[in-house]
């Protein structure tokens, strides 16, 4: 059994926005965005099982299991519908919710994520799982930082790098193992043409292989659009928070009527 931690802020009668974090982080990833959005929306942030303040849940996840966790929190709070904003694993989960629980999902933002798991992607996570078992989470931190942040950010150091290092280190062994297994089973790409929920994709322009993969996803997803954020890698919201909010807020405003209950 998993014990799921969440935080909710903003006006009680406002439309809901649920924010989902990446592998090896927690709801603190969204501190800047939650502070801004909670002026107009009811913002719910959930820690995935094995991440942040959520506990338990084993070490073998898939997207349907993680989606059932989100639905359980929604049901517990009496939430009928919510927008979903997710980054990386959270973005993949947002897409899954939009495809399989469209009646609960008003609109979704999927940032810095992909929709399938080709062999090179699966083998990458095989390597990280072996690294975790052999060398521990410190090795995961060292391997992850260069793929999550741009070289100038890493060279500059300071608060952003310290924040990301702390987020990764705070993740449990089982949480990391389970989430990477969920990534290895990622298979939403064939269903994207069936999406009925409005989608905005966001990607850091320097996020490795993700920008071209994202353009393919946009073409496959009905009425989706894409915003690329310059001078950002995988954690585009941390490196360029103002640009990320500028991509996020107009989309939410277009699809959520502010001031009315969701």
């Amino acid at each position: 059994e998993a014990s799921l931690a969440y935080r909710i802020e903003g006006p009680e009668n406002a439309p809901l926005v649920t924010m989902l974090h990446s592998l090896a982080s927690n709801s603190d990833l969204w501190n800047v965005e939650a502070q801004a959005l909670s002026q107009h929306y009811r913002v719910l942030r959930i820690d995935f099982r094995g991440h942040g303040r959520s506990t338990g849940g084993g070490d073998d996840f898939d997207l349907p299991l993680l989606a059932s966790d989100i639905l359980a929190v929604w049901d517990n709070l009496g939430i009928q519908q919510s927008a979903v904003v997710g980054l990386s694993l959270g973005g993949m989960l947002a897409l899954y919710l939009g495809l399989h629980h469209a009646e609960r999902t008003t609109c979704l933002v999927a940032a810095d994520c992909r929709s399938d798991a080709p062999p090179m992607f699966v083998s990458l996570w095989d390597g990280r799982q072996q690294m975790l078992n052999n060398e521990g989470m410190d090795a995961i931190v060292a391997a992850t930082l260069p793929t999550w942040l741009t070289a100038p950010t890493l060279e500059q150091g300071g608060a952003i790098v310290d924040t990301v290092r702390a987020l990764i280190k705070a993740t449990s062994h089982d949480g990391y193992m389970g989430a990477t297994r969920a990534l290895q089973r990622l298979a939403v790409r064939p269903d994207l043409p069936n999406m009925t929920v409005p989608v905005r994709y966001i990607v850091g322009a320097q996020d490795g292989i993700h920008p071209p993969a994202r353009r393919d996803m946009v073409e496959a997803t009905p009425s989706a659009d894409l915003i690329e954020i310059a001078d950002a890698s995988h954690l585009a919201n941390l490196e360029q928070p103002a640009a990320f909010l500028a991509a996020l807020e107009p989309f939410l405003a277009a699809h959520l009527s502010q001031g009315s209950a969701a």
Side-chain angles (χ1 to χ4, degrees):
E1 286 294 303
S3 175
L4 300 170
Y6 65 85
R7 63 181 93 175
I8 189 163
E9 52 211 313
E12 287 191 19
N13 67 334
L16 264 294
V17 178
T18 300
M19 308 198 79
L20 304 176
H21 60 79
S22 68
L23 158 78
S25 70
N26 58 57
S27 56
D28 289 346
L29 180 71
W30 294 117
N31 283 346
V32 170
E33 290 77 16
Q35 183 176 6
L37 294 178
S38 62
Q39 306 304 307
H40 303 289
Y41 303 107
R42 189 83 164 146
V43 178
L44 170 65
R45 290 184 277 169
I46 303 169
D47 287 343
F48 296 146
R49 50 177 62 208
H51 290 67
R53 288 159 288 276
S54 293
T55 59
D59 66 353
D60 196 8
F61 313 162
D62 58 15
L63 287 184
L65 178 67
L66 294 173
S68 72
D69 289 344
I70 306 306
L71 294 172
V73 175
W74 285 352
D75 291 344
N76 185 57
L77 293 171
I79 294 170
Q80 298 301 314
Q81 282 190 314
S82 177
V84 183
V85 178
L87 185 143
S88 193
L89 176 59
M92 302 166 200
L93 185 53
L95 291 171
Y96 183 90
L97 288 165
L99 287 166
H100 297 277
H101 301 281
E103 75 288 351
R104 308 285 301 267
T105 311
T106 49
C107 61
L108 68 90
V109 175
D112 296 286
C113 65
R114 57 181 305 124
S115 58
D116 59 355
M120 64 86 187
F121 188 72
V122 173
S123 64
L124 180 148
W125 296 115
D126 284 338
R128 291 290 171 84
Q129 292 162 6
Q130 190 172 2
M131 179 185 293
L132 176 62
N133 285 330
N134 294 341
E135 304 173 58
M137 196 53 91
D138 284 339
I140 297 295
V141 172
T144 302
L145 283 173
T147 68
W148 277 12
L149 299 170
T150 60
T153 296
L154 289 170
E155 288 163 13
Q156 182 178 341
I160 293 177
V161 178
D162 291 344
T163 295
V164 176
R165 185 179 286 113
L167 286 171
I168 300 169
K169 285 197 71 166
T171 305
S172 71
H173 176 284
D174 284 0
Y176 188 88
M177 194 66 73
T180 56
R181 287 176 173 150
L183 292 173
Q184 289 178 311
R185 297 169 179 157
L186 178 62
V188 298
R189 174 64 179 81
D191 295 325
L192 289 179
N194 302 323
M195 183 73 76
T196 59
V197 174
V199 178
R200 169 158 288 177
Y201 292 107
I202 302 174
V203 68
Q206 290 163 262
D207 188 14
I209 61 172
H210 288 104
R214 188 61 41 77
R215 288 188 279 272
D216 166 71
M217 290 161 64
V218 174
E219 291 174 11
T221 309
S223 69
D225 63 9
L226 169 66
I227 294 181
E228 292 194 16
I229 296 183
D231 302 316
S233 182
H234 194 55
L235 300 185
N237 70 310
L238 288 187
E239 289 199 282
Q240 301 295 341
F244 196 93
L245 273 171
L248 183 59
E249 291 185 303
F251 178 79
L252 294 176
H255 295 286
L256 299 176
S257 55
Q258 297 182 16
S260 63

